[in-house]
Amino acid sequence: TKSVLQTEDKGSLTMAVQNNELAEVRVGQTFNLSVAASSEGNEIVGFDVLLAYDKEAFTIGRASTPLQSFQLFPREHEEYVAFTGALNTNGEAVVLTETPVLTIPFTAKLKGKYTFTVLPVSSNESTKLVEAETTKVFSPEVTTLQVTVN
């Protein structure tokens, strides 16, 4: 199962459970939530993803970015976790085409159906892609992914 969101000015993010089309897991099982991005030909130097999930039902592990030229900075908040990907000093901007930008391991603790939600805005933060030349920000709409825990 994939969930897609469009930015206000082109581009998109998708969420999926890696190697698990149905997004079904068992209690105690660890799975990777993958976030991929498309920048519609724009070179990207940074991204922010605000992810809300049921913290009673899942334990979060150490997130990573598959983008070699980026560093990842996670920040835990009460209602969500924020992930900032920033281009390394010597790195080159990248054009994203359904490119994985974020891998987040979760361990299921409780049975049920749960929703992972990319929040467009929360407090003074927002989910966005940052374009290289103009530092234009692409602000996506909300996307969700349903995960069933058996």
Side-chain angles (χ1 to χ4, degrees):
T1 305
K2 279 191 179 179
S3 182
V4 178
L5 68 105
Q6 293 295 320
T7 62
E8 291 174 4
D9 184 13
K10 301 181 184 174
S12 63
L13 292 177
T14 59
M15 279 194 301
V17 176
Q18 286 182 348
N19 305 316
N20 189 333
E21 198 68 27
L22 299 176
E24 291 184 358
V25 297
R26 290 194 168 85
V27 170
Q29 181 180 346
T30 298
F31 62 94
N32 286 322
L33 183 73
S34 176
V35 178
S38 294
S39 60
E40 306 291 330
N42 294 296
E43 291 188 331
I44 300 300
V45 295
F47 63 86
D48 286 310
V49 175
L50 310 184
L51 181 67
Y53 66 96
D54 187 330
K55 294 183 179 189
E56 299 291 314
F58 299 94
T59 302
I60 190 169
R62 184 165 187 236
S64 61
T65 180
L67 299 174
Q68 303 255 335
S69 57
F70 282 69
Q71 281 187 291
L72 188 65
F73 303 95
R75 293 175 316 288
E76 193 71 44
H77 296 276
E78 191 173 323
E79 300 295 319
Y80 64 95
V81 60
F83 301 95
T84 297
L87 188 65
N88 289 326
T89 311
N90 299 328
E92 290 188 23
V94 293
V95 174
L96 305 172
T97 308
E98 293 185 27
T99 306
V101 296
L102 190 55
T103 303
I104 313 158
F106 285 96
T107 302
K109 297 193 294 187
L110 300 172
K111 289 183 181 183
K113 289 185 185 284
Y114 300 97
T115 302
F116 289 78
T117 304
V118 172
L119 303 173
V121 175
S122 189
S123 336
N124 59 349
E125 295 186 283
S126 64
T127 293
K128 59 187 167 283
L129 301 175
V130 182
E131 197 264 334
E133 284 295 311
T134 62
T135 62
K136 182 173 185 165
V137 172
F138 299 101
S139 300
E141 296 173 14
V142 172
T143 188
T144 61
L145 177 69
Q146 299 288 326
V147 175
T148 302
V149 181
N150 298 313

